[in-house]
Amino acid sequence: MIGRDLASGKYPSVVTRFPPEPNGYLHLGHTFASFLDFQTALQYGGRYHLRLDDTNPEGERVEYAQAILDDLAWLGWRWDEQTLFYASDNFGTYYDYAVKLIELGKAYVDSVSGDEMARLRGSATQAGRPSPYRERSVAQNLELLARMRAGEFPDGAHVLRAKIDLSSANMKLRDPVLYRIRRAHHYRQGDTWCIYPLYDFQHPLQDALEGVTHSMCSLEFIDNRAIYDWLMETLAFSPRPHQYEFGRRSLEYTIVSKRKLRRLVEEGHVAGWDDPRMPTLRAVRRLGVTPEAILKFAASIGVSRTNRTVDLAVYENAVRDDLSPRSPRVMAVTDPVEVILRGPDGAGLTPQTLTLPYWPHDLVQASPDGLMALPSGVRVSAELAGRPVTLSGRLYIEREDVALNPPKGFRRLTLGGAVRLRGAGVIRADEIEVDEAGDGRVVRVLATLLADPETGRSAPGEQLRAAGVIHWVDAGTALSAEFRLYDRLFSVPNPDGAQPDELPVDDGEAGPEGTGQTVSSDFLRFLNPHSLTVTQGYVEASVAHDPPDTRYQFERQGYFWRDPVDSRPEALIFNRIITLRDAWGKAPRAEAVRLRSKDQTKSRKPDAPTFSPEQTAEVARLRALGVTEADAAVLARDRVLLDFFRSGFPGDSVGSHAGQIAAWTVGDLAPALRSGDSKVRSSDLGALASLQSAGQISNRMAREVLAEAVVSGEAPADIVERRGLKMLSDTGALDSLIGRVLAANPDKLAAYRAGKLGLMGFFTGQVMQLSQGQADPQAVATLLRAKLDNPVE
RNA sequence: UGGGGCAUCGUCCAAUGGCAGGACGCCAGUCUCUGACACUGUCAAUCUAGGUUCGAAUCCUAGUGCCCCAACCA
């Protein structure tokens, strides 16, 4: 679409803009919109603007504006004085245009109350009525507007409205309000203004002022486009921007409603706007997600004109994909159980230091230069990319890695069973101590190291194979740490949905209506009680020397980093950014999900269309002419089509090709006829039909010609003549074409003979293309089938 | 109800009237000192009913479903 505009030379280059209002923090939903705006500009070698649409003083704050800039910069977007705009900086300019609009007689000051205006606006089925003030003189309007600006009137006493169309079916066009009086402190302009422009006036204007070419917004603004276009035309901007709409994208298990997010914060369901469970950019940032992951996610969702909810898995995939290659692997135990370890010879174990690699084999192999990064960022040869880890007679392993009564398929530590300690040899559990008095939890494991990792010396007679591999940390050297295990905030995919009792609510505390109404609490019922689990455990000592913003993969657990706010060198706190995929943990609950009946949509016969007596008679007349039942029914009910059709058939005289002409009228020509864009004369259709029935042109050609005629007005038969269209039905020529096609696609031929009959269409298409649309499709089909089914060697 | 928008695998996106394809997920398998990663394979869709056409996801008609508008918010 944009490519077309550029190609047509409509604009020299693309300019887009992302226009957030600084009345809250940016969230994942904004990310998609900003990505679309910015990335589009980049892709077409254009320019993007960041604009703060701060035209409503209520609720807008500097800190929000700063946070927006900050978050966007974090994502990697850049701007300068030329490409950063504040709408409020142009209040003066907007005002001048308002004056101009009045002078053009296209705007007026209205002085009825809000309620009265709503009443006068009418309803969907009822046209609006003019306000008694609609016909004020230009001079009067000008004076009133000036006095509004000067602060002579109280809030709400007057508004400036555009004079468009009070009876428009589009409610937006019923004289929209352009300016209102509102005494509120503007975070940027202070108290300079007491009148503020509204979106429908300000936004198009600002787009034009900035030289924006493609103004993209979400679908709900589609009705506003009419105002947009009206303004651009009335004010005669050229070249002018155009508005395009796209469907919103929401994410499963999250909400983005500002009001609801505020409730979460204010009622303490989360710790703040940057609580890592929130969908705000600040929150995902604190969680530890990288900007690259967010961008990758935004890029992976498609754009369309439908509002959609994206599978959480897509987001998670983007995050993991981004983290994996950048996160060194280390070990941490989040829920520790002590293990006392004996050496292979049964004696105590003397502490030893192992060197364990930061990176798994596949990542090392994927390295183009064979070098791997240390957490510090320094790249060294793969063998050196490791860290020292102590192994001694006392260590910690994960509680869920030990079981006295293991479930089926358990590949971890059981009594008498053996597992491999990651990077440190195989151990066997000789004894598992449980808390008999308490809840029966495992408190300690006595185990034997079956083979010394350094000497390779194994215990005599031991041939136990390890059931699996588990992670561990050395008790003597590990650092204690707090782990914040985050999970999705809501337990259902669509916490916003299924809330029939929700009332429309005003966003601002000081709103004129809606005050006193509260946000439905339903979404709170879906809060996931396990969205945050805090545990005390241990992390291997090596992390102490790493940069604080290092993202790690704690092996077998997930990706973590230090909480940027609360973590201290002497009191480490790690956030779990995301878990690893877990086929084992997921298995039990997987089956509970999938099962949805396919045919909920009962196919119901549409009601038969009803006809008036006249229409019934018309159908009969048309049928007599040779028009099919279906076409006759459509024609009889559609005045425009019927008139067109009839004009080619004076009286009821039977035209020889009535059936065909009716078919074209109802099928190919209908949309153009209805919109009045067709230049075809129905009297010309007969000649075309003759050509077709005579076999000179195919139906396909006829319709092509028709499409051209709609635009040009040239008689269809003349087009056929001029372009020399003639159906090619000579068997010899067709045979040779078919031969060429088959020879060029031996693989398809084989596939067809192997049973992929759908390829018939492919072959036909190829032949048609080769013949430039001139081949007789029926003849081709016959010949092709013969050739395909009876291979001649 | 008046106007507007939309409808393709479970999810998201493709397909000048001519092979319904990709990604994520799922399932199965291979590999594995991470139940990860990687790799292989399978399953899986054109809202419904008619019509036009040699051929329809695409064009036509009727219907169904979902969303938006009827703010002095954006």
Side-chain angles (χ1 to χ4, degrees), chain A residues 180 249 304 308 553 586 666 674 748:
Chain A
R180 59 171 176 160
R249 293 290 172 275
S304 71
R308 300 283 203 180
Q553 184 194 103
K586 193 155 42 180
V666 169
R674 290 207 184 88
K748 307 275 192 197

PDB file of all heavy atoms in Angstrom, chain A residues 180 249 304 308 553 586 666 674 748, chain B residues 8 13 19 26 34-35 60-61 73:
ATOM      1  N   ARG A 180     -12.733  23.297  23.385  1.00  0.00           N
ATOM      2  CA  ARG A 180     -13.556  23.378  24.588  1.00  0.00           C
ATOM      3  C   ARG A 180     -12.855  24.267  25.618  1.00  0.00           C
ATOM      4  O   ARG A 180     -11.637  24.468  25.552  1.00  0.00           O
ATOM      5  CB  ARG A 180     -13.756  21.990  25.185  1.00  0.00           C
ATOM      6  CG  ARG A 180     -12.419  21.340  25.535  1.00  0.00           C
ATOM      7  CD  ARG A 180     -12.614  20.082  26.326  1.00  0.00           C
ATOM      8  NE  ARG A 180     -11.325  19.439  26.572  1.00  0.00           N
ATOM      9  CZ  ARG A 180     -11.132  18.558  27.538  1.00  0.00           C
ATOM     10  NH1 ARG A 180     -12.113  18.224  28.332  1.00  0.00           N
ATOM     11  NH2 ARG A 180      -9.959  18.015  27.704  1.00  0.00           N
ATOM     12  N   ARG A 249      -3.581  -5.266  18.470  1.00  0.00           N
ATOM     13  CA  ARG A 249      -3.086  -6.568  18.888  1.00  0.00           C
ATOM     14  C   ARG A 249      -3.060  -6.616  20.405  1.00  0.00           C
ATOM     15  O   ARG A 249      -2.431  -5.767  21.027  1.00  0.00           O
ATOM     16  CB  ARG A 249      -1.663  -6.797  18.362  1.00  0.00           C
ATOM     17  CG  ARG A 249      -1.557  -6.935  16.868  1.00  0.00           C
ATOM     18  CD  ARG A 249      -2.160  -8.238  16.402  1.00  0.00           C
ATOM     19  NE  ARG A 249      -2.227  -8.294  14.946  1.00  0.00           N
ATOM     20  CZ  ARG A 249      -3.230  -7.784  14.238  1.00  0.00           C
ATOM     21  NH1 ARG A 249      -4.228  -7.188  14.845  1.00  0.00           N
ATOM     22  NH2 ARG A 249      -3.235  -7.879  12.935  1.00  0.00           N
ATOM     23  N   SER A 304      -2.894  -6.512  10.239  1.00  0.00           N
ATOM     24  CA  SER A 304      -4.075  -6.730   9.410  1.00  0.00           C
ATOM     25  C   SER A 304      -5.144  -5.757   9.874  1.00  0.00           C
ATOM     26  O   SER A 304      -4.928  -4.970  10.784  1.00  0.00           O
ATOM     27  CB  SER A 304      -4.573  -8.163   9.544  1.00  0.00           C
ATOM     28  OG  SER A 304      -5.143  -8.361  10.818  1.00  0.00           O
ATOM     29  N   ARG A 308      -6.891  -8.544  16.922  1.00  0.00           N
ATOM     30  CA  ARG A 308      -6.525  -9.923  17.213  1.00  0.00           C
ATOM     31  C   ARG A 308      -5.867 -10.047  18.572  1.00  0.00           C
ATOM     32  O   ARG A 308      -5.260  -9.121  19.067  1.00  0.00           O
ATOM     33  CB  ARG A 308      -5.534 -10.432  16.167  1.00  0.00           C
ATOM     34  CG  ARG A 308      -6.055 -10.404  14.750  1.00  0.00           C
ATOM     35  CD  ARG A 308      -6.990 -11.531  14.494  1.00  0.00           C
ATOM     36  NE  ARG A 308      -7.064 -11.831  13.067  1.00  0.00           N
ATOM     37  CZ  ARG A 308      -7.818 -12.797  12.565  1.00  0.00           C
ATOM     38  NH1 ARG A 308      -8.537 -13.549  13.356  1.00  0.00           N
ATOM     39  NH2 ARG A 308      -7.843 -13.011  11.274  1.00  0.00           N
ATOM     40  N   GLN A 553      21.398 -17.989  32.097  1.00  0.00           N
ATOM     41  CA  GLN A 553      20.473 -19.105  32.121  1.00  0.00           C
ATOM     42  C   GLN A 553      20.894 -19.944  33.315  1.00  0.00           C
ATOM     43  O   GLN A 553      22.007 -20.479  33.336  1.00  0.00           O
ATOM     44  CB  GLN A 553      20.532 -19.956  30.853  1.00  0.00           C
ATOM     45  CG  GLN A 553      19.460 -21.052  30.906  1.00  0.00           C
ATOM     46  CD  GLN A 553      19.648 -22.137  29.867  1.00  0.00           C
ATOM     47  OE1 GLN A 553      20.104 -23.239  30.179  1.00  0.00           O
ATOM     48  NE2 GLN A 553      19.308 -21.813  28.628  1.00  0.00           N
ATOM     49  N   LYS A 586       4.880 -29.924  31.830  1.00  0.00           N
ATOM     50  CA  LYS A 586       3.667 -29.557  31.133  1.00  0.00           C
ATOM     51  C   LYS A 586       2.792 -30.773  30.841  1.00  0.00           C
ATOM     52  O   LYS A 586       1.587 -30.676  30.722  1.00  0.00           O
ATOM     53  CB  LYS A 586       4.053 -28.873  29.822  1.00  0.00           C
ATOM     54  CG  LYS A 586       2.922 -28.176  29.168  1.00  0.00           C
ATOM     55  CD  LYS A 586       3.406 -27.058  28.263  1.00  0.00           C
ATOM     56  CE  LYS A 586       4.607 -27.428  27.434  1.00  0.00           C
ATOM     57  NZ  LYS A 586       5.047 -26.347  26.582  1.00  0.00           N
ATOM     58  N   VAL A 666     -25.078  -8.677 -13.037  1.00  0.00           N
ATOM     59  CA  VAL A 666     -25.175  -9.042 -11.627  1.00  0.00           C
ATOM     60  C   VAL A 666     -23.803  -9.356 -11.037  1.00  0.00           C
ATOM     61  O   VAL A 666     -23.518  -9.024  -9.894  1.00  0.00           O
ATOM     62  CB  VAL A 666     -26.112 -10.257 -11.458  1.00  0.00           C
ATOM     63  CG1 VAL A 666     -26.012 -10.820 -10.057  1.00  0.00           C
ATOM     64  CG2 VAL A 666     -27.529  -9.861 -11.795  1.00  0.00           C
ATOM     65  N   ARG A 674     -23.295   0.168  -8.881  1.00  0.00           N
ATOM     66  CA  ARG A 674     -23.875   0.697  -7.642  1.00  0.00           C
ATOM     67  C   ARG A 674     -23.174   1.965  -7.201  1.00  0.00           C
ATOM     68  O   ARG A 674     -23.783   2.889  -6.700  1.00  0.00           O
ATOM     69  CB  ARG A 674     -23.785  -0.335  -6.521  1.00  0.00           C
ATOM     70  CG  ARG A 674     -24.710  -1.505  -6.730  1.00  0.00           C
ATOM     71  CD  ARG A 674     -25.109  -2.125  -5.395  1.00  0.00           C
ATOM     72  NE  ARG A 674     -25.931  -3.305  -5.620  1.00  0.00           N
ATOM     73  CZ  ARG A 674     -25.419  -4.512  -5.796  1.00  0.00           C
ATOM     74  NH1 ARG A 674     -24.120  -4.703  -5.758  1.00  0.00           N
ATOM     75  NH2 ARG A 674     -26.210  -5.545  -6.009  1.00  0.00           N
ATOM     76  N   LYS A 748       6.225 -31.512 -10.923  1.00  0.00           N
ATOM     77  CA  LYS A 748       4.792 -31.368 -10.726  1.00  0.00           C
ATOM     78  C   LYS A 748       4.055 -32.496 -11.446  1.00  0.00           C
ATOM     79  O   LYS A 748       3.054 -33.014 -10.972  1.00  0.00           O
ATOM     80  CB  LYS A 748       4.312 -30.032 -11.282  1.00  0.00           C
ATOM     81  CG  LYS A 748       5.080 -28.839 -10.762  1.00  0.00           C
ATOM     82  CD  LYS A 748       4.537 -28.363  -9.441  1.00  0.00           C
ATOM     83  CE  LYS A 748       5.115 -27.014  -9.092  1.00  0.00           C
ATOM     84  NZ  LYS A 748       4.956 -26.668  -7.689  1.00  0.00           N
TER      85      LYS A 748
ATOM     86  P     U B   8     -10.486 -15.612   9.904  1.00  0.00           P
ATOM     87  OP1   U B   8     -10.681 -16.532  11.019  1.00  0.00           O
ATOM     88  OP2   U B   8      -9.504 -14.520   9.989  1.00  0.00           O
ATOM     89  O5'   U B   8     -10.146 -16.465   8.603  1.00  0.00           O
ATOM     90  C5'   U B   8     -10.947 -17.591   8.269  1.00  0.00           C
ATOM     91  C4'   U B   8     -10.121 -18.613   7.552  1.00  0.00           C
ATOM     92  O4'   U B   8      -9.467 -18.004   6.404  1.00  0.00           O
ATOM     93  C3'   U B   8      -8.958 -19.172   8.350  1.00  0.00           C
ATOM     94  O3'   U B   8      -9.385 -20.205   9.219  1.00  0.00           O
ATOM     95  C2'   U B   8      -8.043 -19.683   7.261  1.00  0.00           C
ATOM     96  O2'   U B   8      -8.527 -20.899   6.733  1.00  0.00           O
ATOM     97  C1'   U B   8      -8.202 -18.593   6.205  1.00  0.00           C
ATOM     98  N1    U B   8      -7.176 -17.546   6.312  1.00  0.00           N
ATOM     99  C2    U B   8      -5.933 -17.827   5.780  1.00  0.00           C
ATOM    100  O2    U B   8      -5.674 -18.885   5.250  1.00  0.00           O
ATOM    101  N3    U B   8      -5.005 -16.829   5.901  1.00  0.00           N
ATOM    102  C4    U B   8      -5.192 -15.591   6.488  1.00  0.00           C
ATOM    103  O4    U B   8      -4.266 -14.796   6.514  1.00  0.00           O
ATOM    104  C5    U B   8      -6.503 -15.373   7.017  1.00  0.00           C
ATOM    105  C6    U B   8      -7.419 -16.338   6.911  1.00  0.00           C
ATOM    106  P     C B  13      -3.676 -11.626  11.934  1.00  0.00           P
ATOM    107  OP1   C B  13      -3.991 -10.193  11.899  1.00  0.00           O
ATOM    108  OP2   C B  13      -4.752 -12.622  11.786  1.00  0.00           O
ATOM    109  O5'   C B  13      -2.576 -11.952  10.821  1.00  0.00           O
ATOM    110  C5'   C B  13      -1.520 -11.048  10.581  1.00  0.00           C
ATOM    111  C4'   C B  13      -0.492 -11.672   9.677  1.00  0.00           C
ATOM    112  O4'   C B  13      -0.243 -13.048  10.082  1.00  0.00           O
ATOM    113  C3'   C B  13      -0.871 -11.805   8.206  1.00  0.00           C
ATOM    114  O3'   C B  13      -0.688 -10.578   7.516  1.00  0.00           O
ATOM    115  C2'   C B  13       0.103 -12.880   7.740  1.00  0.00           C
ATOM    116  O2'   C B  13       1.395 -12.349   7.554  1.00  0.00           O
ATOM    117  C1'   C B  13       0.125 -13.823   8.944  1.00  0.00           C
ATOM    118  N1    C B  13      -0.835 -14.932   8.790  1.00  0.00           N
ATOM    119  C2    C B  13      -0.464 -15.994   7.961  1.00  0.00           C
ATOM    120  O2    C B  13       0.641 -15.947   7.408  1.00  0.00           O
ATOM    121  N3    C B  13      -1.319 -17.026   7.785  1.00  0.00           N
ATOM    122  C4    C B  13      -2.499 -17.023   8.399  1.00  0.00           C
ATOM    123  N4    C B  13      -3.301 -18.061   8.195  1.00  0.00           N
ATOM    124  C5    C B  13      -2.899 -15.947   9.253  1.00  0.00           C
ATOM    125  C6    C B  13      -2.044 -14.934   9.421  1.00  0.00           C
ATOM    126  P     C B  19      -2.953 -22.407  -7.229  1.00  0.00           P
ATOM    127  OP1   C B  19      -4.144 -22.531  -6.386  1.00  0.00           O
ATOM    128  OP2   C B  19      -1.924 -21.395  -6.930  1.00  0.00           O
ATOM    129  O5'   C B  19      -2.237 -23.813  -7.311  1.00  0.00           O
ATOM    130  C5'   C B  19      -2.996 -24.967  -7.669  1.00  0.00           C
ATOM    131  C4'   C B  19      -2.496 -26.120  -6.839  1.00  0.00           C
ATOM    132  O4'   C B  19      -1.138 -26.416  -7.250  1.00  0.00           O
ATOM    133  C3'   C B  19      -2.434 -25.805  -5.345  1.00  0.00           C
ATOM    134  O3'   C B  19      -2.783 -26.963  -4.605  1.00  0.00           O
ATOM    135  C2'   C B  19      -0.986 -25.423  -5.115  1.00  0.00           C
ATOM    136  O2'   C B  19      -0.530 -25.706  -3.826  1.00  0.00           O
ATOM    137  C1'   C B  19      -0.273 -26.301  -6.145  1.00  0.00           C
ATOM    138  N1    C B  19       0.971 -25.693  -6.586  1.00  0.00           N
ATOM    139  C2    C B  19       2.168 -26.375  -6.368  1.00  0.00           C
ATOM    140  O2    C B  19       2.124 -27.493  -5.842  1.00  0.00           O
ATOM    141  N3    C B  19       3.325 -25.801  -6.734  1.00  0.00           N
ATOM    142  C4    C B  19       3.327 -24.593  -7.294  1.00  0.00           C
ATOM    143  N4    C B  19       4.489 -24.066  -7.630  1.00  0.00           N
ATOM    144  C5    C B  19       2.129 -23.875  -7.524  1.00  0.00           C
ATOM    145  C6    C B  19       0.983 -24.454  -7.155  1.00  0.00           C
ATOM    146  P     C B  26       4.160 -26.685  22.689  1.00  0.00           P
ATOM    147  OP1   C B  26       4.231 -26.845  24.151  1.00  0.00           O
ATOM    148  OP2   C B  26       5.370 -26.863  21.857  1.00  0.00           O
ATOM    149  O5'   C B  26       3.021 -27.635  22.112  1.00  0.00           O
ATOM    150  C5'   C B  26       1.721 -27.621  22.681  1.00  0.00           C
ATOM    151  C4'   C B  26       0.818 -28.560  21.927  1.00  0.00           C
ATOM    152  O4'   C B  26       0.661 -28.098  20.564  1.00  0.00           O
ATOM    153  C3'   C B  26       1.346 -29.976  21.765  1.00  0.00           C
ATOM    154  O3'   C B  26       1.108 -30.750  22.930  1.00  0.00           O
ATOM    155  C2'   C B  26       0.567 -30.479  20.554  1.00  0.00           C
ATOM    156  O2'   C B  26      -0.747 -30.838  20.923  1.00  0.00           O
ATOM    157  C1'   C B  26       0.515 -29.213  19.699  1.00  0.00           C
ATOM    158  N1    C B  26       1.589 -29.169  18.684  1.00  0.00           N
ATOM    159  C2    C B  26       1.430 -29.924  17.513  1.00  0.00           C
ATOM    160  O2    C B  26       0.413 -30.615  17.380  1.00  0.00           O
ATOM    161  N3    C B  26       2.405 -29.882  16.574  1.00  0.00           N
ATOM    162  C4    C B  26       3.497 -29.134  16.761  1.00  0.00           C
ATOM    163  N4    C B  26       4.425 -29.119  15.808  1.00  0.00           N
ATOM    164  C5    C B  26       3.672 -28.361  17.947  1.00  0.00           C
ATOM    165  C6    C B  26       2.706 -28.407  18.867  1.00  0.00           C
ATOM    166  P     U B  34      22.627 -32.416  28.566  1.00  0.00           P
ATOM    167  OP1   U B  34      21.633 -33.472  28.446  1.00  0.00           O
ATOM    168  OP2   U B  34      23.137 -31.741  27.361  1.00  0.00           O
ATOM    169  O5'   U B  34      22.022 -31.298  29.523  1.00  0.00           O
ATOM    170  C5'   U B  34      21.862 -31.553  30.904  1.00  0.00           C
ATOM    171  C4'   U B  34      20.724 -30.719  31.439  1.00  0.00           C
ATOM    172  O4'   U B  34      21.076 -29.324  31.320  1.00  0.00           O
ATOM    173  C3'   U B  34      19.411 -30.888  30.670  1.00  0.00           C
ATOM    174  O3'   U B  34      18.339 -30.725  31.584  1.00  0.00           O
ATOM    175  C2'   U B  34      19.418 -29.722  29.708  1.00  0.00           C
ATOM    176  O2'   U B  34      18.145 -29.314  29.330  1.00  0.00           O
ATOM    177  C1'   U B  34      20.089 -28.649  30.580  1.00  0.00           C
ATOM    178  N1    U B  34      20.725 -27.607  29.787  1.00  0.00           N
ATOM    179  C2    U B  34      20.341 -26.296  30.028  1.00  0.00           C
ATOM    180  O2    U B  34      19.524 -25.988  30.880  1.00  0.00           O
ATOM    181  N3    U B  34      20.952 -25.368  29.248  1.00  0.00           N
ATOM    182  C4    U B  34      21.884 -25.612  28.272  1.00  0.00           C
ATOM    183  O4    U B  34      22.343 -24.664  27.637  1.00  0.00           O
ATOM    184  C5    U B  34      22.231 -26.980  28.079  1.00  0.00           C
ATOM    185  C6    U B  34      21.644 -27.917  28.823  1.00  0.00           C
ATOM    186  P     G B  35      17.294 -31.917  31.794  1.00  0.00           P
ATOM    187  OP1   G B  35      16.632 -31.524  33.043  1.00  0.00           O
ATOM    188  OP2   G B  35      17.919 -33.246  31.654  1.00  0.00           O
ATOM    189  O5'   G B  35      16.259 -31.731  30.614  1.00  0.00           O
ATOM    190  C5'   G B  35      16.293 -32.529  29.455  1.00  0.00           C
ATOM    191  C4'   G B  35      14.884 -32.766  28.963  1.00  0.00           C
ATOM    192  O4'   G B  35      14.241 -33.718  29.857  1.00  0.00           O
ATOM    193  C3'   G B  35      14.027 -31.516  28.976  1.00  0.00           C
ATOM    194  O3'   G B  35      13.025 -31.638  27.961  1.00  0.00           O
ATOM    195  C2'   G B  35      13.332 -31.597  30.330  1.00  0.00           C
ATOM    196  O2'   G B  35      12.090 -30.937  30.379  1.00  0.00           O
ATOM    197  C1'   G B  35      13.124 -33.114  30.459  1.00  0.00           C
ATOM    198  N9    G B  35      13.037 -33.577  31.829  1.00  0.00           N
ATOM    199  C8    G B  35      13.485 -32.996  32.977  1.00  0.00           C
ATOM    200  N7    G B  35      13.234 -33.697  34.039  1.00  0.00           N
ATOM    201  C5    G B  35      12.580 -34.820  33.565  1.00  0.00           C
ATOM    202  C6    G B  35      12.065 -35.937  34.237  1.00  0.00           C
ATOM    203  O6    G B  35      12.082 -36.171  35.441  1.00  0.00           O
ATOM    204  N1    G B  35      11.474 -36.832  33.362  1.00  0.00           N
ATOM    205  C2    G B  35      11.406 -36.683  32.007  1.00  0.00           C
ATOM    206  N2    G B  35      10.806 -37.639  31.331  1.00  0.00           N
ATOM    207  N3    G B  35      11.891 -35.644  31.351  1.00  0.00           N
ATOM    208  C4    G B  35      12.450 -34.761  32.199  1.00  0.00           C
ATOM    209  P     C B  60     -17.632  -8.739  -5.393  1.00  0.00           P
ATOM    210  OP1   C B  60     -17.795  -7.276  -5.300  1.00  0.00           O
ATOM    211  OP2   C B  60     -17.297  -9.527  -4.195  1.00  0.00           O
ATOM    212  O5'   C B  60     -18.963  -9.365  -6.001  1.00  0.00           O
ATOM    213  C5'   C B  60     -19.562  -8.783  -7.148  1.00  0.00           C
ATOM    214  C4'   C B  60     -20.844  -9.503  -7.458  1.00  0.00           C
ATOM    215  O4'   C B  60     -20.547 -10.877  -7.823  1.00  0.00           O
ATOM    216  C3'   C B  60     -21.797  -9.641  -6.283  1.00  0.00           C
ATOM    217  O3'   C B  60     -22.578  -8.480  -6.099  1.00  0.00           O
ATOM    218  C2'   C B  60     -22.630 -10.855  -6.689  1.00  0.00           C
ATOM    219  O2'   C B  60     -23.589 -10.498  -7.659  1.00  0.00           O
ATOM    220  C1'   C B  60     -21.572 -11.736  -7.350  1.00  0.00           C
ATOM    221  N1    C B  60     -20.976 -12.710  -6.407  1.00  0.00           N
ATOM    222  C2    C B  60     -21.710 -13.846  -6.068  1.00  0.00           C
ATOM    223  O2    C B  60     -22.838 -13.985  -6.544  1.00  0.00           O
ATOM    224  N3    C B  60     -21.171 -14.750  -5.219  1.00  0.00           N
ATOM    225  C4    C B  60     -19.952 -14.554  -4.727  1.00  0.00           C
ATOM    226  N4    C B  60     -19.464 -15.474  -3.887  1.00  0.00           N
ATOM    227  C5    C B  60     -19.184 -13.397  -5.047  1.00  0.00           C
ATOM    228  C6    C B  60     -19.727 -12.513  -5.881  1.00  0.00           C
ATOM    229  P     U B  61     -23.027  -8.073  -4.611  1.00  0.00           P
ATOM    230  OP1   U B  61     -23.607  -6.712  -4.688  1.00  0.00           O
ATOM    231  OP2   U B  61     -21.940  -8.366  -3.653  1.00  0.00           O
ATOM    232  O5'   U B  61     -24.197  -9.120  -4.344  1.00  0.00           O
ATOM    233  C5'   U B  61     -25.355  -9.123  -5.174  1.00  0.00           C
ATOM    234  C4'   U B  61     -26.287 -10.218  -4.740  1.00  0.00           C
ATOM    235  O4'   U B  61     -25.694 -11.508  -5.026  1.00  0.00           O
ATOM    236  C3'   U B  61     -26.570 -10.277  -3.247  1.00  0.00           C
ATOM    237  O3'   U B  61     -27.556  -9.338  -2.860  1.00  0.00           O
ATOM    238  C2'   U B  61     -27.034 -11.718  -3.074  1.00  0.00           C
ATOM    239  O2'   U B  61     -28.364 -11.872  -3.531  1.00  0.00           O
ATOM    240  C1'   U B  61     -26.102 -12.445  -4.039  1.00  0.00           C
ATOM    241  N1    U B  61     -24.908 -12.970  -3.362  1.00  0.00           N
ATOM    242  C2    U B  61     -25.053 -14.155  -2.649  1.00  0.00           C
ATOM    243  O2    U B  61     -26.110 -14.736  -2.566  1.00  0.00           O
ATOM    244  N3    U B  61     -23.907 -14.607  -2.038  1.00  0.00           N
ATOM    245  C4    U B  61     -22.664 -14.005  -2.067  1.00  0.00           C
ATOM    246  O4    U B  61     -21.730 -14.532  -1.475  1.00  0.00           O
ATOM    247  C5    U B  61     -22.606 -12.787  -2.819  1.00  0.00           C
ATOM    248  C6    U B  61     -23.701 -12.325  -3.425  1.00  0.00           C
ATOM    249  P     C B  73     -13.566  16.544  26.676  1.00  0.00           P
ATOM    250  OP1   C B  73     -14.280  16.420  27.941  1.00  0.00           O
ATOM    251  OP2   C B  73     -12.243  17.190  26.638  1.00  0.00           O
ATOM    252  O5'   C B  73     -13.441  15.120  25.987  1.00  0.00           O
ATOM    253  C5'   C B  73     -12.418  14.866  25.081  1.00  0.00           C
ATOM    254  C4'   C B  73     -11.378  13.995  25.724  1.00  0.00           C
ATOM    255  O4'   C B  73     -12.006  12.758  26.119  1.00  0.00           O
ATOM    256  C3'   C B  73     -10.239  13.582  24.829  1.00  0.00           C
ATOM    257  O3'   C B  73      -9.243  14.576  24.827  1.00  0.00           O
ATOM    258  C2'   C B  73      -9.776  12.289  25.481  1.00  0.00           C
ATOM    259  O2'   C B  73      -8.966  12.567  26.610  1.00  0.00           O
ATOM    260  C1'   C B  73     -11.098  11.691  25.968  1.00  0.00           C
ATOM    261  N1    C B  73     -11.681  10.737  25.015  1.00  0.00           N
ATOM    262  C2    C B  73     -11.236   9.400  25.046  1.00  0.00           C
ATOM    263  O2    C B  73     -10.362   9.092  25.854  1.00  0.00           O
ATOM    264  N3    C B  73     -11.773   8.499  24.184  1.00  0.00           N
ATOM    265  C4    C B  73     -12.712   8.893  23.336  1.00  0.00           C
ATOM    266  N4    C B  73     -13.218   7.988  22.520  1.00  0.00           N
ATOM    267  C5    C B  73     -13.183  10.237  23.279  1.00  0.00           C
ATOM    268  C6    C B  73     -12.647  11.114  24.126  1.00  0.00           C
TER     269        C B  73
END
